[in-house]
Amino acid sequence: MNVVLIAIFVVFTVAAILTLWRIVIGPSILDRAVASDVLLTEVLCVLGAEMAINQHTRSLPIMLIIAAVGVFGSVSIARFVARKDNTGR
């Protein structure tokens, strides 16, 4: 079981580092927004894995707040970019 846990956290860590790289280097705001969503999803997955492994539900409210922040952030960025594109015409 410990080998599986270590493998899971190594994969999530590598994915998070690559996502952070995309957030820093991303050529456009949309790339950064998608990378931010991916990072939030990775955090949700880590919290969910930790809940499943330790068999508790204490992290559920935090997961709901993170998911809400991700959705509302994505919608606001999409609206900002759409509005910016419409004014440029």
Side-chain angles (χ1 to χ4, degrees):
M1 187 74 174
N2 286 336
V3 175
V4 175
L5 289 177
I6 291 171
I8 288 171
F9 287 117
V10 166
V11 168
F12 279 124
T13 303
V14 169
I17 290 170
L18 292 173
T19 305
L20 286 173
W21 180 260
R22 175 54 69 186
I23 290 172
V24 171
I25 302 297
S28 69
I29 191 170
L30 291 177
D31 291 328
R32 291 184 172 113
V34 169
S36 298
D37 276 348
V38 170
L39 187 62
L40 286 177
T41 304
E42 290 171 7
V43 170
L44 286 174
C45 289
V46 167
L47 287 175
E50 189 270 331
M51 281 178 32
I53 291 167
N54 292 329
Q55 300 177 349
H56 67 84
T57 57
R58 290 186 302 258
S59 302
L60 195 58
I62 296 170
M63 291 174 67
L64 290 173
I65 290 171
I66 290 172
V69 166
V71 167
F72 294 133
S74 297
V75 168
S76 18
I77 289 173
R79 287 182 58 101
F80 172 74
V81 170
R83 190 173 294 159
K84 187 177 175 183
D85 286 344
N86 286 338
T87 57
R89 291 184 183 172

